[in-house]
Amino acid sequence: MIKSYPLSSRFTVFVFIPALIGLGYLINLHSSSLPTVDTEVTVAGIEDEINITRDINGVAYINAKTDSDAFFAVGFVHAQDRMWQLEIQRRISQGRLSELLGSSTVNIDLKLRTLGIYQHIDEAWNALSDNAKRSLTAYTAGINQWLSQNKELPIEFSLLGVKPEPWREIDSLAWIKLFALNLSDAINFEIHHLVAARYLNEPQLQEFFPSYPAEGPTTISESSDTVIKELSFLREINRTLESNFNIGGTYVGSNAWAISGALTTSGNALLANDPHTALQIPSIWYAIDINGENVSSRGMSLVGLPLVIFGRNDDIAWAGTNLMMDDQDLFYEEVNPNNFNQYRHDGEWKNFSSRKEKIHVRTEFPSMLHDPYKPLEITIRETINGPVVTDLFSVSKQPISLKWTGKEKKDTSYESFFKLNYATNWLEFRDAASFHVAPGLNMLFADNKGNIGYSVFGRIPIRDNWQGFLPVSGSGDNNWTGYVTTSENPHVFNPKEGYVISANNKPVAEHYPYFISNHFAPPERASRIQAMLQEGLKATDTDLVLLSQQVQMDVKSESTRNVLAAIAPHMPTEKKYQDILEVLKGWNGEMTENSSAATLYHVWMKFTRQKLFSDELTVPFNQSLDNSFTSSLVSAVSPQTLVKAFEPGGIDWCDVQSTEALETCREILSMALDSTIQELSKLKSDDVDDWAWSEVHFSVYPHMVFNQDNMFKSVFSRKVFNIGGTDTVNVSGSSFKLSAGYEQNFGATHRQVMTLGKSEEVHLYMNSTGQSGNPFSDHYDDMIEPFQRGEYASFEAPSKSEGASWLTLIPTNN
């Protein structure tokens, strides 16, 4: 008798077990892909011997006799430790993900091809100085030399069946543009404004967008439904880039502060920095120490570039945060009704420029069961303003183009970072600023003479009598008329306070004559940093290095006091809530590991936002694409807006149906509290003592490709409990995942604290994941827990007795 087996058993026998065996084989095979770091290697392309020492954390200390050899070595170690990251970053920039990942990433490729990251890259290359070009050429040679010698590539290449192409100098320049795109969210703010205007009246809009002008437009053309549908698709692509490939996001920013040597007991200036971006493994940062004939810098490099992006040299230190600059605008283009190939600009009909490209799409797995895809042939139109982004899906009757500073043809941003690595004083720091185009950055400065400073890096667009709140006509009435000059960019040297702080807050007062942005981060982080530094500076014996570490790890939410005070008159009075609400009494707003109050507050305010604003932002059935916009609008409501919603005399968000406004608002808070209890009871238990923040809140470091596959996620991705909140200095941007809790996908990605001066100097750091991108390396994830605990390592070249490895690169002509 033939025995039948369930489908699940057959799947286990014929699919799952073979897959596990295959994965085990690959793991065994690719454990040999770990780089050789303790030997001598003969290489082509260098002038003299290069010594590369790695400390117990895997951090590379490069010592070369020439600067070109030093940059060659940076390329070599980046390739050793992060070759897959180099490859995936390049493919994102090129719009070639679909060659690896199939049809699921076609829309992402469409967007990146439309933006044309590589379109004017040769002009950017030609605009660089000879020395900057040489550094990129040496770095490129280092990557390619490692590729030419390597026997075993990282496992991702085998799993996807691809081999890396040789690296090119322009690949590095393209990555700067993608880094700039990562820090620019202006287009999403315009789309959110546009969608919100469909549902909210003018006073309500000003509550959601506090700087929205009373005279600002709230209506668009007759084709608004079509336009918003297409922009909704564009926003969905942006969301996918954010969630799966860590490009973009709201308040992608950082903290940084500088303290003058005049305020420190040692006379040394201090500079601290902790950039905030989407979390990933490996981190986008790579700690490195670079020494050549003239270059001597250490700090955090970006994989794909041979320089220290944030760090120090022998004379100065520099750190950065996102300026939150509005460097993108959407333009409605008027099409000639008699010739659809033309658009109006400055009173004339001009021809759309266009180019054709092909997107190759990988056949679905298993390939033997599917027909191969034909290459997608696309036509990309451009106007004077920029690429037509609505052509991503069809040739729209109402084309909308995107203008972005990152599309400048002669983008010399790399030159700016290059000059920072060699700068010796404030004037040379400011000179570096003059070359920077994108992204817009708040750059902080300290030097070995005790001086500090601040300067905007990046080109601020000048708009005459308008601001980029919503898409505007591209006919010429709303042109950018130029850029703010470097001398007029906000800057200060040795401010009278003796310190300078940047936390993505508004950098200048209202008297500044140029518009920068209307979507700066709320001020709570900056206020908290300032309060802690001022308190520490009152005492003459304060250890400011230790204080800076404590500030970077601070998890007190300053906004909770105001929010709880605003809702106090509306607090639910039912007996069933009293034991639960008791945990909030006396709570100081700290989002700490064991705090049940932090969990209750975070979840309760999430549901309060949803229930408070749901009526006004209810999406009709035929406008379902707006749902993602309205939900993200509600989730991003600032503490200030939440406070105003409950204060008397403002907009009646409670939708009062009775004469007792307090009762109606109380009902909203009660319903939100019911939802909170239900969610946390399902997630943990009915016992409030089980609701500790660390029990429901986790930092997730996803692999950019294999995090979507449950079988590979445990091999490539990492997860650890964490603390902090959305507006704490130690910031945590999280979202709720069913059965998983609140997963932090955004936060600090490295930390540095540096002092410079004549006495003993300090340079502390910690990366968020590890130096290696190879999951079989000890340094793949060895910094995650120290980073989470707020521990630091020091940039100090090690000796062999300290567990260091020594790699010597020997030129082939020796």
Side-chain angles (χ1 to χ4, degrees):
M1 179 172 145
I2 299 175
K3 200 171 186 179
S4 63
Y5 292 91
L7 180 61
S8 60
S9 297
R10 283 179 280 164
F11 176 83
T12 300
V13 172
F14 296 109
V15 178
F16 186 67
I17 291 177
L20 282 180
I21 293 172
L23 180 60
Y25 170 75
L26 284 172
I27 289 174
N28 181 64
L29 176 66
H30 284 277
S31 60
S32 63
S33 65
L34 295 174
T36 302
V37 296
D38 205 2
T39 187
E40 293 183 352
V41 178
T42 300
V43 298
I46 60 175
E47 299 176 42
D48 212 324
E49 285 190 7
I50 305 171
N51 292 312
I52 303 170
T53 309
R54 279 183 168 86
D55 65 16
I56 58 173
N57 295 310
V59 174
Y61 295 76
I62 293 169
N63 286 283
K65 292 185 172 63
T66 68
D67 289 1
S68 289
D69 279 359
F71 295 128
F72 177 99
V74 178
F76 195 87
V77 298
H78 276 184
Q80 279 188 312
D81 291 329
R82 304 284 188 92
M83 193 61 232
W84 171 251
Q85 187 175 11
L86 286 165
E87 179 68 15
I88 198 69
Q89 289 177 173
R90 172 168 55 180
R91 285 182 178 268
I92 294 172
S93 304
Q94 292 173 334
R96 293 177 57 199
L97 281 173
S98 299
E99 295 176 17
L100 290 180
L101 306 177
S103 58
S104 64
T105 54
V106 165
N107 285 341
I108 292 175
D109 285 345
L110 280 170
K111 177 184 175 178
L112 271 300
R113 295 290 184 95
T114 299
L115 289 181
I117 299 292
Y118 277 78
Q119 188 181 1
H120 301 295
I121 209 76
D122 288 336
E123 293 174 73
W125 167 258
N126 291 330
L128 298 177
S129 68
D130 289 342
N131 285 336
K133 287 179 180 177
R134 276 192 286 271
S135 68
L136 285 171
T137 298
Y139 177 75
T140 298
I143 294 174
N144 291 331
Q145 183 63 201
W146 183 83
L147 281 173
S148 70
Q149 294 191 346
N150 186 56
K151 296 178 181 178
E152 199 66 59
L153 290 167
I155 189 173
E156 292 94 338
F157 289 100
S158 293
L159 289 172
L160 292 170
V162 296
K163 289 186 177 181
E165 299 168 357
W167 193 261
R168 301 172 298 169
E169 290 94 334
I170 60 174
D171 294 331
S172 293
L173 295 181
W175 180 239
I176 288 184
K177 289 184 177 291
L178 202 65
F179 180 63
L181 186 66
N182 184 36
L183 297 185
S184 180
D185 200 41
I187 183 175
N188 290 331
F189 278 90
E190 287 195 30
I191 298 173
H192 277 99
H193 286 190
L194 193 62
V195 173
R198 293 163 65 96
Y199 304 102
L200 303 176
N201 59 38
E202 191 171 294
Q204 290 171 333
L205 275 172
Q206 292 183 53
E207 291 287 318
F208 269 84
F209 307 102
S211 298
Y212 192 86
E215 69 278 8
T218 58
T219 58
I220 57 175
S221 67
E222 293 180 0
S223 60
S224 61
D225 284 347
T226 301
V227 166
I228 289 181
K229 180 179 179 181
E230 291 176 334
L231 290 178
S232 296
F233 280 123
L234 178 60
R235 173 59 181 140
E236 287 306 304
I237 295 174
N238 292 346
R239 286 166 64 90
T240 303
L241 270 169
E242 292 169 22
S243 60
N244 293 352
F245 297 97
N246 308 313
I247 304 297
T250 304
Y251 303 141
V252 174
S254 308
N255 302 312
W257 56 91
I259 302 175
S260 168
L263 299 183
T264 66
T265 55
S266 65
N268 288 2
L270 180 145
L271 186 60
N273 192 200
D274 56 301
H276 305 157
T277 61
L279 305 186
Q280 67 178 57
I281 191 165
S283 165
I284 65 172
W285 304 103
Y286 184 92
I288 199 160
D289 187 305
I290 311 169
N291 295 281
E293 181 180 6
N294 297 304
V295 67
S296 179
S297 56
R298 63 212 64 92
M300 291 294 173
S301 66
L302 276 172
V303 176
L305 299 172
L307 308 170
V308 168
I309 301 300
F310 297 143
R312 60 161 299 171
N313 58 32
D314 292 340
D315 299 298
I316 74 165
W318 59 97
T321 73
N322 190 358
L323 177 60
M324 316 299 293
M325 180 170 66
D326 189 349
D327 57 0
Q328 296 178 333
D329 279 314
L330 293 170
F331 290 90
Y332 295 114
E333 303 293 358
E334 180 185 349
V335 178
N336 186 345
N338 300 315
N339 183 350
F340 291 166
N341 294 318
Q342 294 183 327
Y343 66 97
R344 184 188 295 277
H345 191 83
D346 285 343
E348 299 180 3
W349 294 114
K350 297 182 179 294
N351 292 325
F352 286 98
S353 63
S354 65
R355 66 184 191 276
K356 294 184 182 294
E357 296 196 16
K358 288 184 179 181
I359 296 177
H360 296 273
V361 183
R362 186 183 186 128
T363 306
E364 301 297 329
F365 178 83
S367 58
M368 72 283 293
L369 299 181
H370 296 87
D371 293 330
Y373 290 114
K374 292 182 180 179
L376 297 177
E377 297 185 1
I378 60 173
T379 300
I380 300 165
R381 295 188 295 172
E382 289 205 28
T383 71
I384 286 175
N385 294 312
V388 177
V389 292
T390 46
D391 283 357
L392 284 167
F393 313 101
S394 64
V395 179
S396 173
K397 294 180 181 178
Q398 176 66 80
I400 297 181
S401 59
L402 171 67
K403 193 172 186 68
W404 172 42
T405 56
K407 285 285 290 179
E408 281 294 305
K409 293 181 179 179
K410 295 183 178 180
D411 185 347
T412 53
S413 299
Y414 177 80
E415 188 81 39
S416 175
F417 288 119
F418 179 79
K419 286 182 173 293
L420 280 176
N421 279 251
Y422 289 90
T424 63
N425 54 47
W426 170 250
L427 292 179
E428 292 176 3
F429 174 83
R430 289 279 290 149
D431 178 60
S434 67
F435 291 88
H436 198 85
V437 177
L441 297 171
N442 301 293
M443 292 294 288
L444 278 67
F445 163 93
D447 70 15
N448 56 11
K449 296 179 175 60
N451 300 304
I452 62 169
Y454 160 87
S455 177
V456 162
F457 276 46
R459 294 187 182 172
I460 302 172
I462 298 176
R463 305 168 176 90
D464 282 347
N465 302 316
W466 67 284
Q467 296 176 356
F469 297 103
L470 292 169
V472 295
S473 169
S475 62
D477 296 333
N478 302 298
N479 290 337
W480 291 2
T481 58
Y483 294 105
V484 178
T485 63
T486 302
S487 62
E488 293 179 293
N489 275 353
H491 64 278
V492 64
F493 183 65
N494 285 335
K496 62 180 180 180
E497 298 86 358
Y499 59 82
V500 60
I501 296 167
S502 177
N504 317 118
N505 52 303
K506 190 173 183 177
V508 285
E510 295 297 331
H511 61 76
Y512 185 68
Y514 300 105
F515 171 74
I516 299 176
S517 177
N518 263 319
H519 47 263
F520 298 111
E524 281 80 11
R525 278 189 290 120
S527 298
R528 178 63 177 162
I529 293 168
Q530 183 178 41
M532 293 185 74
L533 292 183
Q534 287 179 340
E535 183 65 26
L537 289 168
K538 288 180 183 178
T540 57
D541 60 346
T542 299
D543 184 338
L544 293 177
V545 171
L546 179 60
L547 175 64
S548 291
Q549 295 174 65
Q550 293 169 344
V551 174
Q552 288 182 337
M553 292 301 296
D554 183 70
V555 291
K556 185 175 182 178
S557 173
E558 291 284 3
S559 65
T560 57
R561 180 178 64 251
N562 295 331
V563 173
L564 290 173
I567 66 175
H570 314 277
M571 279 288 191
T573 56
E574 292 89 336
K575 186 177 179 180
K576 65 178 181 178
Y577 299 132
Q578 296 317 300
D579 288 343
I580 292 173
L581 293 178
E582 191 70 24
V583 304
L584 290 175
K585 291 184 179 179
W587 180 52
N588 63 359
E590 292 193 354
M591 311 288 286
T592 54
E593 178 181 344
N594 297 316
S595 175
S596 297
T599 304
L600 174 61
Y601 176 83
H602 180 85
V603 181
W604 189 18
M605 290 306 104
K606 177 191 75 171
F607 284 115
T608 296
R609 289 181 177 93
Q610 292 175 6
K611 297 183 185 301
L612 190 62
F613 303 110
S614 59
D615 288 347
E616 285 75 10
L617 290 167
T618 298
V619 176
F621 177 76
N622 63 345
Q623 304 291 347
S624 59
L625 279 173
D626 290 359
N627 274 317
S628 66
F629 292 93
T630 56
S631 62
S632 61
L633 273 174
V634 170
S635 64
V637 165
S638 69
Q640 297 96 320
T641 299
L642 195 59
V643 167
K644 292 178 70 175
F646 282 98
E647 288 179 340
I651 294 175
D652 185 13
W653 291 105
C654 289
D655 286 337
V656 179
Q657 300 297 321
S658 67
T659 57
E660 295 293 335
L662 296 182
E663 289 182 4
T664 305
C665 289
R666 186 174 291 126
E667 289 171 1
I668 287 175
L669 287 168
S670 295
M671 290 187 292
L673 191 53
D674 285 336
S675 297
T676 299
I677 294 169
Q678 183 180 18
E679 178 178 286
L680 291 173
S681 295
K682 286 184 178 180
L683 193 62
K684 300 304 297 182
S685 77
D686 295 332
D687 189 345
V688 179
D689 291 338
D690 291 336
W691 295 358
W693 190 222
S694 62
E695 291 293 319
V696 300
H697 179 241
F698 303 91
S699 295
V700 176
Y701 295 93
H703 186 275
M704 274 204 289
V705 173
F706 293 122
N707 191 63
Q708 310 305 315
D709 190 301
N710 288 330
M711 185 168 68
F712 292 118
K713 182 185 289 189
S714 61
V715 175
F716 292 98
S717 299
R718 296 293 184 268
K719 182 177 179 178
V720 63
F721 86 83
N722 209 356
I723 52 180
T726 54
D727 63 356
T728 59
V729 179
N730 184 4
V731 73
S732 167
S734 62
S735 57
F736 181 74
K737 298 292 179 65
L738 194 64
S739 301
Y742 287 85
E743 292 191 346
Q744 177 188 355
N745 45 34
F746 171 87
T749 46
H750 82 246
R751 298 188 182 103
Q752 291 190 85
V753 179
M754 301 166 277
T755 66
L756 297 87
K758 295 180 180 179
S759 57
E760 186 175 349
E761 297 181 329
V762 171
H763 190 169
L764 303 178
Y765 76 94
M766 186 58 68
N767 208 345
S768 54
T769 57
Q771 284 291 95
S772 176
N774 191 319
F776 309 116
S777 169
D778 292 338
H779 300 305
Y780 184 67
D781 57 7
D782 59 339
M783 292 186 183
I784 290 178
E785 291 188 2
F787 187 80
Q788 181 262 350
R789 293 191 296 264
E791 297 174 3
Y792 294 76
S794 180
F795 268 108
E796 294 179 4
S799 64
K800 280 197 173 183
S801 62
E802 297 171 313
S805 63
W806 296 71
L807 174 66
T808 303
L809 303 183
I810 301 174
T812 54
N813 57 354
N814 277 14

